[in-house]
Amino acid sequence: MSTFDNLRSKFEKLGVTGGSRSIDRDKQQPPPVPSSNTKPPQYSNQGYPAQPPPNQGYPPNQGYPQPVYPPPPGDFGPGGFFMPPAPQQQPGYGQGYYGGYPGPQGMSAYPGGQYPPPPPQNQQWQGQPPPYWQGQSVPYPPPGGNGGYPPPQQGPPSQNSTPSQQGPPSQQGAPPLSAPGDGPPPKPRRTSNGPPPTQDTQHQSRGGDARHHAPAGSSLGQSLGSFSSDQVPPGIPLPLDQHDIQPETADGEKKHHRKRRDDRRPDQQMEFLNVKHEELVHQRFLIVYGQVPGLRTSSEDKIVVHHPYFPPLTFPAIDGFFKVLVELENGDNNLRFDYRQGGEIASQGTLCIKMMPYLDKPPLNLAVIVGRDSQGVFDAPPDARGPGISDLDAAVRKFRCCAYLWQAYIAEQLYRNGFGRRTFRLDESYEPDTMAKDNVPRMTARVHVVRSKRTVAEIQDKERAQQWNPPPGYKRKTDESQFSIANEALDDYGAFKDKHYVVCLSVDSRWDPELGVILGHAALGGGVGNRRLGVFGSHTTHAWPGNAEEVAAKFLDTTKTDTRYLANDCNECGEYWRAANIGMGAFLHEAGHLLTLAHTPSGIMSRGFNFYNRTFMARAPDMAGPVRQRDESGSHWHRTDVIRLRHHPCLRLPTDPPLEKGETEESGFEALPTEDGLLLQCAAGITMIEVWVNDHYRCHREYTVENLERRRNGAVPAAPDEMVCAHPRSILVNLGAWKGWAGGWSSTDKLQLVLTSRSTDTDTLEDIGALMNDRSRRDRDGILVFQSNQLGKGQMKDSQRFDALFAGKDMPRSSLPKLRCIELRAGQFVDGFILHMDDGSSFPVGKCQGGHRSEVLIAPDDDLDHVVVRSGWWIDGLEFVTRKGHRSGWKGGSGGSEHILKPPQGYGWMGISGSGAGWLDSISMHYAKLHQ
């Protein structure tokens, strides 16, 4: 058996035989216009057992108290965060509402300058402390390097962005693109979701991400930390640092502060700031913040946590403050914390944490990709090379540790925002545990070692390097990226079936000092059919910890990067601790794209990963004092990211109610202009609406279980339709009211709304002004007729537009004919349909040149009620339904997301428009008020 096979057997224990995955391609129709967007897969919990087989999983955990989500109302939220009093617009935003805000009257809402604007050096904040994400910031773009990450000058997430020319869609993963001259492009698979997203054409240093939707750059507004309370826009609470407050309940008990008396020093009692005694969590590693008030610091302060089953973990401490990563086992974890100064114990504390793994949700899978002839060695300095240091064994250990840090980080961030300790689970197996130096067999994250059929030379081809920019006149031989290479390798590997989530580390990344490019590297994340995928290179892996005991040392390692051997990525990896931040943090950024997140004005989905270490450490090499929560700067999720993660199937909690069928399937949005405003509808329920002005994020509204009661009692101003349920299925946007709430915009500004559903689908309404103004008209009878947003892109080659105008039978004022019969033409897709009227006329929608013929009759006492449509880039399938329940039957395919075309209440049908070529590629409806 080869060395590689031994390693793969050691790390996986799967016994999975890889095989090629067949791809069903359409051989008759020309390929449609591809997209850089694909819908995220909607995951079913079926197939994930409540517990693994005997001796292969965590033992059952019985009798533990279930946590309460959301936490009970009060003045202070999870982790000791300030929660605003009742008359606030969006309670809870104080801790997660990051990014730009409209400035006070007379101030520019979005001044130019750096992204985000750094505060003055050594600034002393007066009065209200600044938001905890403020602090040292990276100019945008950063000085030196090949540009910013994410790339500048890009708008909000959009499905109407310029499509990439990657190739056809595939539900099982798109095949790699062929080089010019290698034959015709592959045919499209029978779905309209579009092909896998690809890297940015700018080829900046980590400047492009394959993502669910396009990146969004934005200049930040005025810092809330510099405003007085009367200057802050309505509904924007000011955050407080958890170390600056001592929250108390009505009976005087400290909330989230677990004090343990030290009889030797009664004035120095250890407090745990973000964890409750006997709290129940569902992840293996947990970040614990605490302090020992009254301690005078020394140069050797440290916190040591002792666990009955794991080796001790030591982290630095300062001024009595500490942060430590604790390891947990299934069941009760009785922890002892020693705050040491030099060789003495200054204070002690104990804490019990209950851990119960949550197995009934889809896991995040880990895979390392190696070339066909690869030795599995990654870049490392000359003094840190060799077996177990820079080989495949080390890559697996470091990647596993990286993923566990992600898991702990996400749980802490969601908890801070009031949504419980939500985080993804890792696919774990029982094997020697490399997260502790003792290597005792435990449940630990499985890392798949996947051998690509590509050679190392192919992987390291400069044309496949994301950061390489071809010189003028250079003719490329391939447009493949590391994303497509990883996707191809996973297809051949064959271990991942159905809908799944995978992050891939490319071990064969190499720094080329002559080219100044990291070969074999790409920072990309997005979706390919049933697969959500993130990829990253191994060029910073030398700086990552290989186990929990190395975390603190790696985040404090100030060794200089020698660019003769190692990459100084983006000119921001000049020291090893910075390389650890960029490597693990930017990889987390790509995992965020995998989880459907877009670029945001601040946080991890911007360049916040430069400060990734600060969430785990009380000390930082670039700070003199303790790293409190407010000092963590960009190391956070933007609140819009938090809301998406709150509802993601990978981050569900055992206490979450089961999802209904309509809440797990892809469900699109309908935007219906009316006389009273813009009606937004989604069958899965709406969780968030973001407001963007001229491609800059302005603000958002969110709809969660946690804020439902506050919407109903007036703490959060909300219209009646926003109080119906936690996730309303329809919301009427009064643009006048929203304009004042969002800081205003002019008639020449481009207003965009970004919509997110409970099934994590996201859509962008590109130009609300045009939607409201251009989609209304007076017909020949003087009736004001509206038109819905268009489903499908309508961008197929030779596509033609069709209009079929008719009046519903409840529109007596209209002289338009009434429907008598609907004739459909459909095969695997919808070729079109013909509407036959009661006056003998007929109107086609689509070319109607193929497919099977069927029809649905409309009786004199019946009428069209609604049309169910599945669409993406084109119309996959549809069904007509009459008021009396007669159905045409489903015609076409099942790809895309589901929409329902039905006039709003009090409105009636006035026609259908669409376009088509080989098949129908767009459709919209016309409607008017019943009584005008």
Side-chain angles (χ1 to χ4, degrees), residues 678-819:
L678 180 62
L679 181 63
L680 304 176
Q681 296 180 335
C682 178
I686 300 170
T687 57
M688 182 166 56
I689 302 175
E690 300 169 55
V691 178
W692 290 68
V693 179
N694 296 329
D695 295 334
H696 290 266
Y697 166 84
R698 183 65 65 83
C699 52
H700 74 275
R701 289 200 185 203
E702 58 193 53
Y703 308 95
T704 68
V705 171
E706 289 77 9
N707 75 356
L708 175 59
E709 184 60 31
R710 296 195 292 274
R711 278 182 269 149
R712 288 177 171 171
N713 66 22
V716 177
D721 50 7
E722 297 173 86
M723 299 184 230
V724 172
C725 59
H727 317 290
R729 289 177 169 80
S730 64
I731 294 175
L732 181 64
V733 175
N734 183 316
L735 292 175
W738 281 51
K739 181 177 180 179
W741 168 69
W745 55 76
S746 70
S747 58
T748 59
D749 288 332
K750 182 175 71 169
L751 173 64
Q752 299 154 294
L753 297 181
V754 181
L755 316 175
T756 303
S757 75
R758 193 179 184 190
S759 57
T760 70
D761 292 303
T762 298
D763 200 0
T764 299
L765 303 179
E766 286 294 335
D767 192 336
I768 300 302
L771 180 64
M772 295 298 293
N773 298 326
D774 299 346
R775 290 185 173 262
S776 63
R777 58 180 173 81
R778 292 282 181 181
D779 71 358
R780 64 190 185 188
D781 300 308
I783 297 175
L784 181 60
V785 179
F786 296 93
Q787 186 177 357
S788 69
N789 64 315
Q790 176 179 289
L791 307 181
K793 302 301 181 183
Q795 296 179 4
M796 293 181 67
K797 185 179 180 181
D798 300 325
S799 181
Q800 298 180 16
R801 178 178 172 83
F802 301 87
D803 294 299
L805 302 182
F806 61 92
K809 294 178 181 177
D810 48 6
M811 301 291 296
R813 282 194 52 214
S814 176
S815 60
L816 292 174
K818 309 296 189 292
L819 268 178

Side-chain angles (χ1 to χ4, degrees), residues 177 179-180 182 199 203 371 373 454-470 474-485 506 508-512 515 517-522:
L177 291 178
D182 287 348
Q199 65 197 62
H203 296 278
D373 54 349
R454 305 301 185 99
T455 65
V456 172
E458 289 179 287
I459 292 173
Q460 295 180 1
D461 186 340
K462 63 184 179 183
E463 293 191 5
R464 295 184 173 94
Q466 186 179 7
Q467 298 177 359
W468 180 71
N469 291 311
Y474 183 90
K475 188 173 182 180
R476 281 181 170 271
K477 297 179 182 178
T478 180
D479 287 325
E480 283 183 333
S481 70
Q482 302 302 318
F483 189 90
S484 58
I485 288 177
S506 178
D508 293 311
S509 297
R510 288 293 178 275
W511 165 243
D512 188 323
L515 285 177
V517 170
I518 305 167
L519 303 175
H521 163 64

